[in-house]
Amino acid sequence: MFALLTIDFNRIAIVELGVAAVLVTTMLAMHYFLSPFQVIVGRFADKYPIAGYRRTPIMIVSGLVSSLLFVALPTVAEAMGAGSVGAIIIGFTLFVVFGISMAALGDSYHALIAEVTTERSRSTVISVVWIFAILSTIFAAVVMNAVRPEYTPEAMQTLYNLSPPIVMGTILLGILGMERRLKAHEIEAAQERAKQVTPEGNPLSAAYQLLQENPETRGFFIFILVSIFAIFLQDNILEVFGAEVFGMSVAETTRFQPTWGGGVLLGMLVMGAASAFVSIDKKKMAITGCIGTAVGMGVLALAALLQLDVVILPSLFIMGIFTGMFNVGSLSMMMDMTVEGATGLYMGLWGVAQAFGTGISSISSGALHTSLIGSGLVAPQSAYGMIFLFEAFCLVAAGVVLSRVSIQRFRESHGIGVKQEDLTRAMEVGSTA
């Protein structure tokens, strides 16, 4: 679904149909700011399992709703291109429903991974999941080109009609039998546990209260928000940087994202494989990923300031490797920073931090470009150098914040004891309590 939106829908709507870019990009970004629904859905699922299942029903329903919306998108896009105000309203409505569905789906599948994996296997599982998520985008692009090599309204409709069977097929294959059904007494125990470990009130107020009262929760939320913001601030302006500073062609700047993405895949693959055989401290992994990515950003800043185009691709590859390490470490910590009875609520909270970090970075990148370069205030090479150094600073700051967060203190704040072997292993790897 995301491949269709970010590779196909945006191009067709803006270029072929002539829809204003700001309308399309705003629609595509809406799901980031609907992420608070992750907290609501997670809290509901923790307290009120459906037929004994907390995650499976929500994933099936949200997948079905979101995939069915794609059947209507070609018609809506064509009407938007014709200038229909009603179609624009319908388009925004569809993307609101899509954003809520994605919030429900995202919280549920992260919570499911947390509940069906052990702390030891979690890093490897996350690596596999994310590697295949990235590879699925490549596969989706192949399918798009095969089904609809050239744009026509009919061909676009045929392509988008494939969404429900593909989405529901993969969801059912992936999750049926994965979650254990809770018995009646287990549901009662889960509901009681949910009341004990989280504040009373509606899900959003409960999440806000957790951020206010628990320093470990607040610190980890800040870490996710700042680190994601810093990593993805360059995402929308990277190719523009190559053109404005070095006069690179489209073909040359098109190599930027694959180079970075290849590094991310390699970093996740290596860390996932290593975690399968050796116990690796997840906090150290995430902090190392932050610092390494910051170094790559620093090299990129020097490339801008000193006009060193030869170091761009190597710095992007280095950034990618350490970002892959960051992904494995931080995602594993997200799942460790949950408690039984409130897994969905906490995964929703971390999901909000991720989404807000990505959404704010998307808006900020354009704002920085317009205010610094578009206004003529700063020369492009200096402006990009400042932006990349700012990203590096934010990543180092995020690493410092994470260094002060303790999973042990988080668990103790919820009355969860830590096993002696966990303490011994923590001392062996030099973790700070």
Side-chain angles (χ1 to χ4, degrees):
M1 290 187 288
F2 277 107
L4 271 180
L5 292 178
T6 59
I7 296 176
D8 188 81
F9 180 80
N10 58 342
R11 158 67 195 254
I12 297 298
I14 295 171
V15 179
E16 274 73 17
L17 298 176
V19 181
V22 65
L23 287 176
V24 178
T25 56
T26 301
M27 285 180 177
L28 296 181
M30 284 179 64
H31 73 275
Y32 293 129
F33 301 101
L34 290 165
S35 61
F37 279 94
Q38 292 192 45
V39 174
I40 297 172
V41 171
R43 173 79 158 182
F44 174 84
D46 288 335
K47 297 180 71 174
Y48 307 108
I50 300 173
Y53 296 101
R54 289 184 286 196
R55 316 301 169 195
T56 303
I58 292 175
M59 294 178 73
I60 292 174
V61 172
S62 58
L64 180 62
V65 171
S66 57
S67 63
L68 285 173
L69 297 177
F70 280 77
V71 177
L73 280 183
T75 302
V76 172
E78 192 173 357
M80 287 171 58
S84 170
V85 176
I88 294 174
I89 295 173
I90 292 173
F92 273 100
T93 302
L94 291 177
F95 276 96
V96 167
V97 176
F98 177 77
I100 296 172
S101 298
M102 285 299 97
L105 189 59
D107 175 81
S108 298
Y109 99 81
H110 277 128
L112 181 62
I113 293 175
E115 290 170 343
V116 302
T117 59
T118 64
E119 289 187 29
R120 178 65 184 272
S121 67
R122 199 161 287 152
S123 296
T124 302
V125 172
I126 289 170
S127 296
V128 172
V129 168
W130 275 84
I131 287 170
F132 275 87
I134 294 171
L135 291 177
S136 72
T137 303
I138 299 172
F139 174 74
V142 173
V143 172
M144 289 178 211
N145 287 332
V147 175
R148 195 231 50 225
E150 297 293 337
Y151 168 72
T152 65
E154 295 76 19
M156 184 180 184
Q157 188 67 61
T158 299
L159 175 63
Y160 282 54
N161 286 347
L162 294 176
S163 295
I166 290 177
V167 170
M168 293 312 299
T170 52
I171 285 179
L172 294 175
L173 285 172
I175 67 170
L176 288 184
M178 187 69 66
E179 182 181 14
R180 185 178 66 85
R181 184 178 183 180
L182 298 178
K183 298 178 181 178
H185 70 278
E186 292 175 312
I187 294 175
E188 292 179 8
Q191 291 172 339
E192 183 61 32
R193 180 62 178 160
K195 293 178 181 178
Q196 294 173 356
V197 298
T198 56
E200 287 298 325
N202 68 72
L204 294 179
S205 65
Y208 181 69
Q209 192 172 337
L210 286 173
L211 290 175
Q212 282 188 311
E213 297 177 353
N214 192 312
E216 307 306 315
T217 301
R218 184 170 59 252
F220 193 62
F221 184 92
I222 293 171
F223 158 72
I224 297 171
L225 179 67
V226 174
S227 59
I228 293 295
F229 166 81
I231 287 174
F232 290 101
L233 183 62
Q234 49 75 33
D235 203 37
N236 290 332
I237 58 173
L238 191 58
E239 287 77 11
V240 184
F241 153 69
E244 292 183 336
V245 176
F246 298 101
M248 292 181 174
S249 65
V250 173
E252 289 176 305
T253 58
T254 300
R255 298 165 60 192
F256 288 178
Q257 288 295 344
T259 300
W260 179 80
V264 172
L265 278 175
L266 179 61
M268 296 188 73
L269 183 62
V270 170
M271 296 314 302
S275 299
F277 300 101
V278 181
S279 179
I280 302 176
D281 186 84
K282 297 163 188 174
K283 184 163 78 172
K284 287 184 177 180
M285 192 191 308
I287 292 174
T288 302
C290 280
I291 302 303
T293 305
V295 171
M297 290 288 185
V299 175
L300 208 57
L302 288 176
L305 295 170
L306 303 179
Q307 302 283 285
L308 300 174
D309 59 337
V310 294
V311 303
I312 293 178
L313 291 181
S315 65
L316 287 174
F317 189 68
I318 291 171
M319 283 169 51
I321 290 175
F322 283 100
T323 300
M325 182 183 297
F326 162 85
N327 284 345
V328 176
S330 61
L331 284 167
S332 298
M333 279 198 71
M334 284 184 204
M335 295 175 186
D336 288 347
M337 295 281 285
T338 62
V339 294
E340 174 59 34
T343 303
L345 177 64
Y346 274 105
M347 289 310 305
L349 193 57
W350 310 146
V352 169
Q354 277 185 302
F356 276 19
T358 307
I360 295 170
S361 71
S362 179
I363 295 171
S364 298
S365 61
L368 286 170
H369 184 277
T370 300
S371 60
L372 295 177
I373 300 172
S375 66
L377 182 65
V378 182
Q381 59 267 31
S382 299
Y384 283 108
M386 292 165 58
I387 292 171
F388 295 144
L389 286 175
F390 174 61
E391 290 181 84
F393 170 80
C394 289
L395 281 166
V396 172
V400 171
V401 171
L402 182 61
S403 69
R404 299 174 180 175
V405 174
S406 168
I407 295 176
Q408 181 183 341
R409 284 198 299 267
F410 172 81
R411 290 174 173 174
E412 289 174 348
S413 70
H414 290 288
I416 302 172
V418 181
K419 296 179 181 179
Q420 182 60 42
E421 57 263 35
D422 292 334
L423 292 174
T424 303
R425 184 165 59 250
M427 288 187 287
E428 288 175 350
V429 297
S431 296
T432 56

